[in-house]
């Protein structure tokens, strides 16, 4: 099959196309920021924090410089002793682990579930020990980890639950009693990233912390600003980690368009589910009925060692895909000091060989998606 010329090219992410319908709003925000010239901690920063908090059911939002700093600040706010253990899934982006390692905490890796890719609560329970200080759950690819069970495990053990919500902003989790919460607002602290490729991305780096506890929000705000509440009085060892006024102003625009972008991702995912479900060569993403899925990624699993060949076939047909993630954290060279070996986390290791993310960005066109489906159907025949 050759690609019809009107649908060339397909991108894994197409921010220019996504921004085009509201380019004028972004231009206006940009120019207003330039004129007002309050580039650090200008009024847009607080306004954006308020707006995002309201969007997430009333959580306190503390903006910071990026999602990795958010994880660092979340851990710092717990005041853990040096060497305290932090439980982290072996299958996630490295930042989740890096923050703990940089703070001199001891990362303890655990395996994930083969269907949802999220951390396995039973593995978390088994990894708890007297030195455990925190558990970091990651809501991978846009679907919530099992936060009700994880929160119960953490509460019983007296350790903090941190939610790395860089990929699932806007997803909700429904508890056994029927109540629901936004991802990132269940544990002691949630973190998120506004890296351009995230569901709510800015035009550079940005991040935020989420919490329902006003005292913790104040502490996080202080930690993100050199540990000071009052200028030049540094009560805590903190970071210089701020969201630029310019990014906040642009994020205020993009937040208005987030519901439509999320709906577009979910509609693409539903079409993929229906069209690809019957294909034996691949497995569509499992849905946890307790969580909504905001499809930061639409990640299929390709079994029997056929993933790389399928990716090459798609590439040759003009369909970009990506592998998130090709190497589990316990086999990363920088973390050899943790003394893990191949075979320690078999699910994470298998997923690294099987996962493939398809284009699911909001600006993906119907013809483009139909073409991707046709190429996958053709691959299934091979
Ligand atoms: C993107 C991401 C981060 C880091 O965010 P940055 O803003 O790039 O620092 C952390 N954790 C996960 C799961 C991510 O996807």
């Amino acid at each position: 099959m050759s690609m019809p010329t009107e649908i060339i090219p397909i991108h894994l992410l197409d921010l220019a196309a996504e921004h085009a319908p509201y380019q004028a709003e972004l231009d206006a925000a940009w120019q207003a920021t330039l004129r007002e010239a309050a580039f650090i901690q200008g009024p847009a920063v607080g306004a954006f924090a308020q707006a995002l908090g309201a969007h997430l059911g009333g959580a306190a939002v503390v903006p910071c410089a990026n999602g990795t700093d958010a994880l660092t600040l979340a851990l710092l706010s717990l005041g853990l002793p040096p060497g305290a253990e932090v439980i982290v899934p072996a299958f996630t982006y490295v930042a989740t682990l890096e923050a703990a390692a940089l703070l001199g905490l001891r990362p303890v890796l655990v395996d994930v579930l083969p269907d949802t890719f999220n951390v396995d609560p039973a593995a978390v329970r088994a990894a708890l020990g007297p030195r455990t200080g925190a558990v970091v759950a990651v809501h991978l690819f846009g679907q919530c980890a099992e936060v009700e069970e994880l929160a119960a495990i953490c509460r019983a053990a007296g350790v903090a639950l941190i939610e790395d919500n860089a990929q699932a902003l806007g997803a909700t989790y429904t508890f056994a009693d029927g109540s629901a919460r936004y991802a990132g607002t269940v544990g002691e602290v949630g973190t998120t990233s506004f890296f351009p490729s995230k569901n709510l991305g800015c035009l550079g780096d940005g991040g935020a912390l989420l919490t329902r506890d006003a005292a913790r929000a104040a502490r996080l705000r202080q930690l993100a600003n050199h540990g000071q509440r009052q200028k030049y009085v540094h009560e805590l060892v903190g970071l210089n980690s701020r969201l630029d006024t310019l990014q906040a102003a642009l994020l205020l625009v993009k937040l208005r368009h987030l519901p439509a972008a999320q709906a577009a991702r979910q509609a693409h995912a539903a079409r993929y589910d229906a069209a690809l479900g019957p294909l034996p060569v691949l497995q569509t993403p499992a849905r946890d009925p307790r969580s909504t899925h905001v499809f930061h990624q639409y990640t299929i699993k390709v079994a029997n060692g056929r993933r790389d060949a399928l990716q090459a076939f798609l590439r040759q047909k003009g369909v970009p895909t990506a592998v998130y993630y090709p190497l589990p954290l316990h086999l990363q060279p920088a973390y050899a000091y943790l003394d893990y070996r191949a075979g320690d986390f078999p699910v994470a290791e298998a997923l690294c060989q099987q996962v493939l993310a398809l284009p699911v960005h909001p600006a993906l066109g119907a013809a483009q998606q139909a073409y991707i489906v046709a190429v996958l159907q053709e691959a299934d025949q091979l």
Side-chain angles (χ1 to χ4, degrees):
M1 181 195 300
S2 66
M3 186 190 275
T5 49
E6 71 271 18
I7 61 172
I8 292 175
I10 298 173
H11 300 289
L12 201 53
L13 182 69
D14 194 345
L15 289 171
E18 206 178 313
H19 296 156
Y22 53 88
Q23 180 75 43
E25 291 174 60
L26 293 170
D27 286 344
W30 195 300
Q31 286 170 26
T33 306
L34 192 55
R35 274 194 306 275
E36 287 160 12
F39 298 117
I40 299 292
Q41 306 290 41
V45 179
F48 169 66
Q50 281 290 325
L52 182 60
H55 184 82
L56 298 176
V61 173
V62 179
C64 66
N66 57 68
T68 308
D69 275 8
L71 285 158
T72 305
L73 290 161
L75 288 167
L76 265 179
S77 79
L78 301 178
L80 300 174
E85 293 177 356
V86 179
I87 297 176
V88 174
F91 186 67
T92 174
Y93 186 56
V94 71
T96 319
L97 173 63
E98 202 169 28
L102 274 174
L103 291 175
L105 303 169
R106 176 87 189 172
V108 172
L109 296 173
V110 294
D111 216 343
V112 296
L113 296 163
D115 295 326
T116 61
F117 317 123
N118 278 323
V119 69
D120 180 353
V124 169
R125 195 180 273 112
L128 287 169
R131 290 160 66 85
T132 308
V135 173
V136 186
V138 182
H139 305 309
L140 207 64
F141 303 145
Q143 182 168 236
C144 295
E146 295 180 19
V147 279
E148 180 162 24
E149 189 171 353
L150 291 167
I153 291 170
C154 289
R155 206 178 309 116
V159 308
L161 175 63
I162 292 176
E163 299 172 73
D164 179 346
N165 192 30
Q167 301 189 4
L169 198 73
T172 57
Y173 189 91
T174 302
F175 290 75
D177 69 2
S179 66
R181 280 261 183 80
Y182 281 97
T185 69
V186 179
E188 268 68 24
V189 195
T191 68
T192 197
S193 164
F194 307 121
F195 187 81
S197 66
K198 306 290 159 112
N199 286 27
L200 178 61
C202 61
L203 278 63
D205 276 307
L209 296 124
L210 316 171
T211 179
R212 289 173 291 107
D213 175 344
R216 188 175 298 280
R219 187 176 176 83
L220 290 166
R221 211 165 277 122
Q222 183 176 358
L223 283 166
N225 186 25
H226 297 294
Q228 61 191 340
R229 281 185 295 180
Q230 190 188 333
K231 205 166 188 187
Y232 302 125
V233 181
H234 305 277
E235 298 164 310
L236 304 169
V237 178
L239 268 68
N240 170 16
S241 187
R242 296 176 292 231
L243 181 67
D244 292 340
T245 306
L246 175 60
Q247 299 302 345
L250 297 165
L251 282 164
L252 268 168
V253 172
K254 291 197 71 176
L255 182 60
R256 290 200 288 272
H257 298 279
L258 182 62
Q262 179 176 309
R265 286 176 185 272
Q266 288 167 330
H268 297 328
R271 278 189 292 271
Y272 275 139
D273 281 353
L276 306 180
L279 302 187
V281 72
L282 60 85
Q283 217 174 305
T284 57
R287 308 288 195 100
D288 182 334
R290 296 163 294 188
S291 176
T292 60
H293 200 319
V294 296
F295 287 99
H296 173 58
Q297 302 296 343
Y298 185 91
T299 303
I300 59 170
K301 284 201 290 181
V302 186
N304 307 325
R306 293 185 60 188
R307 194 264 316 272
D308 293 351
L310 179 64
Q311 185 176 34
F313 180 76
L314 289 164
R315 187 185 303 119
Q316 179 213 323
K317 297 283 186 178
V319 177
T321 59
V323 173
Y324 307 114
Y325 297 92
L327 192 63
L329 295 183
H330 64 291
L331 302 180
Q332 294 289 350
Y335 298 95
Y337 76 96
L338 296 176
D339 237 8
Y340 292 110
R341 308 196 156 20
D344 282 348
F345 304 109
V347 178
E349 289 170 32
L351 289 176
C352 289
Q353 306 299 317
Q354 294 172 352
V355 291
L356 193 63
L358 305 181
V360 74
H361 64 83
L364 186 70
Q368 292 179 319
Q369 194 180 14
Y371 174 79
I372 296 167
V373 165
V375 173
L376 283 162
Q377 283 163 341
E378 186 185 349
D380 193 58
Q381 310 297 313
L382 301 180

